[in-house]
Amino acid sequence: MAQHVLMKLSNGGCSCCDPPSAPGIAIDGSVGRGGRNLPNDVRTIQAALNNVSSADGGPTLKLAVDGFVGPLTIAAIEKYQTRKLGWADGRIDPDGPTIHALNGQSSGVAAPAKGGAAPTPPPKATAEQNAKFVERIGALLPRARHWISMAQLNIDMASDFVRRGPPGRSDPFPSLHDIGKSQLGLFDKYFHTGKHSNETKLQQLHKAKRIYDSMNTVITHSLLEAPMFGWGVGYFQPDPADGTLAALNYVAYTFYGGWQARRPDGRPRLSGDDNYKGRKDLREDTIFFPVGQLLTKTDNYMLETILHELAHFVGPGVKSPDRIGDHTYDTKADFLTVNNWTALHTAECYGYFAAESALRSTITIPIH
Ligand SMILES: [Zn+2]
């Protein structure tokens, strides 16, 4: 289960599981080193780790499911993380990558749903539909640039407003003072920077702007290279798992920091380079779309999905705590209520802020 694979689910939520999981284990507080370690949560994790075979990252000796965190439980968490994520901090957070990994593992996508009905695979696109779809992405990219530009314009205006500070008595243009205020309000709606000092607000506005800058660079590359190599070269491709059970529920996926993922010899990194347990041959510098289930999606839906994936793609790599992830649950618009730090590290916030910036109307979730 590759935790650096980021999937956007069809209901508008997100998962960083591969394959996307059915509702699985959940904890209220973090478990492990420095965690809250609520006894029920600890038991949940101990039992979940015991379900993983030792060869697959589970504990060598089964843990006692006793609700107490000791060195054996922490060692088991670390072993699992090292095996599945390529790093270990000994702690499992309620919506962190480790619990997603455990859920991806404990509920195989091909397992029949409760009630016994076997799942049906999503529709599969024909070769012709794939080609048309990739052209459609190419045609959407200039509009994606427009969305990004409008997001950046709002960030610039909001930044100007913050820099201007409160109106002074000698302000020569008091009626112009509030220009940028509503743009800051929109930024706050998605990124929750409201209570911070002006200095912090400016830093956060700047950080978001840089993410959009990098998105623009990726789009520019694509637009410039398309006449030579055709749409979809490199960055946007049909998902090889299209039409199979493995493609149930997600609408796109990509890799943390995949944009700049290169092997030491300069060639693109492949999913196999990161101990990916599924397909080993997926280019990390690519955003994949299971075309069969996207044929009926609207342009706005596709644009938001493109920007969402680009946020993962241009952000830092999997090992950076600053990477842009999916800190949301699958079915709820949690990205509107998460805290400020989380929002700045959530792909959906970048997608929806740009959507509302460009469309200039309140956006329904998931977007249509
Ligand atoms: Zn995502």
Side-chain angles (χ1 to χ4, degrees):
M1 306 300 149
Q3 288 322 300
H4 58 294
V5 178
L6 295 149
M7 294 186 156
K8 191 168 197 314
L9 302 187
S10 43
N11 56 26
C14 276
S15 164
C16 54
C17 305
D18 178 25
S21 58
I25 59 167
I27 51 176
D28 291 324
S30 50
V31 170
R33 182 176 292 124
R36 280 177 75 192
N37 294 322
L38 305 170
N40 274 341
D41 289 344
V42 175
R43 273 190 286 271
T44 299
I45 293 301
Q46 288 168 329
L49 288 169
N50 282 347
N51 276 336
V52 181
S53 74
S54 174
D56 213 19
T60 314
L61 293 172
K62 297 288 181 209
L63 299 168
V65 182
D66 57 7
F68 290 101
V69 169
L72 290 178
T73 299
I74 288 180
I77 293 171
E78 287 182 333
K79 178 184 173 189
Y80 183 79
Q81 288 177 320
T82 304
R83 179 63 194 256
K84 296 294 178 188
L85 311 178
W87 52 263
D89 61 4
R91 196 178 93 169
I92 301 182
D93 292 319
D95 195 29
T98 316
I99 198 129
H100 284 294
L102 281 165
N103 276 327
Q105 178 138 21
S106 58
S107 53
V109 74
K114 274 182 193 150
T120 22
K124 180 176 172 59
T126 63
E128 193 186 349
Q129 284 172 324
N130 273 334
K132 273 215 172 105
F133 178 84
V134 171
E135 283 215 6
R136 182 183 172 200
I137 297 275
L140 285 173
L141 290 184
R143 282 170 66 189
R145 273 185 77 112
H146 171 69
W147 280 32
I148 292 166
S149 298
M150 291 307 290
Q152 293 190 312
L153 179 62
N154 281 343
I155 288 174
D156 284 344
M157 291 177 74
S159 304
D160 248 16
F161 174 73
V162 174
R163 262 186 234 111
R164 209 175 296 137
R169 280 187 183 201
S170 57
D171 196 328
F173 305 112
S175 59
L176 300 184
H177 182 271
D178 281 351
I179 289 178
K181 189 176 182 180
S182 67
Q183 285 78 5
L184 181 63
L186 186 60
F187 188 79
D188 278 344
K189 174 177 174 183
Y190 291 99
F191 295 102
H192 316 296
T193 191
K195 290 180 201 139
H196 287 287
S197 69
N198 282 356
E199 194 183 345
T200 304
K201 280 184 192 176
L202 285 172
Q203 282 167 359
Q204 298 190 343
L205 285 157
H206 182 65
K207 177 191 174 80
K209 188 166 179 198
R210 277 175 39 224
I211 293 291
Y212 288 117
D213 274 341
S214 299
M215 291 185 190
N216 243 340
T217 305
V218 169
I219 290 177
T220 304
H221 283 188
S222 299
L223 289 168
L224 289 178
E225 288 169 12
M228 285 177 278
F229 304 110
W231 292 116
V233 171
Y235 299 130
F236 304 94
Q237 294 286 355
D239 175 16
D242 184 36
T244 70
L245 277 178
L248 263 186
N249 298 331
Y250 63 79
V251 294
Y253 64 93
T254 191
F255 299 83
Y256 286 118
W259 173 39
Q260 291 174 316
R262 288 281 182 277
R263 290 164 158 177
D265 64 6
R267 291 166 51 205
R269 285 176 72 80
L270 300 180
S271 45
D273 295 344
D274 284 331
N275 298 319
Y276 182 60
K277 293 200 80 188
R279 291 179 58 110
K280 304 273 187 202
D281 56 346
L282 296 170
R283 283 177 65 141
E284 292 196 12
D285 61 348
T286 301
I287 297 169
F288 292 98
F289 298 95
V291 177
Q293 50 200 315
L294 294 173
L295 295 170
T296 55
K297 299 292 186 191
T298 64
D299 284 357
N300 283 343
Y301 183 97
M302 288 309 306
L303 285 162
E304 197 281 326
T305 301
I306 289 169
L307 261 64
H308 171 114
E309 296 302 324
L310 281 172
H312 296 312
F313 196 58
V314 304
V318 63
K319 288 181 184 150
S320 167
D322 220 24
R323 60 187 182 265
I324 310 280
D326 286 322
H327 298 275
T328 63
Y329 286 100
D330 293 347
T331 52
K332 293 179 288 179
D334 281 3
F335 64 92
L336 287 179
T337 54
V338 293
N339 69 33
N340 168 243
W341 187 93
T342 305
L344 284 163
H345 294 84
T346 293
E348 206 73 314
C349 296
Y350 290 89
Y352 275 84
F353 174 68
E356 190 159 344
S357 295
L359 301 174
R360 291 168 163 268
S361 61
T362 304
I363 302 298
T364 55
I365 299 166
I367 199 166
H368 296 295

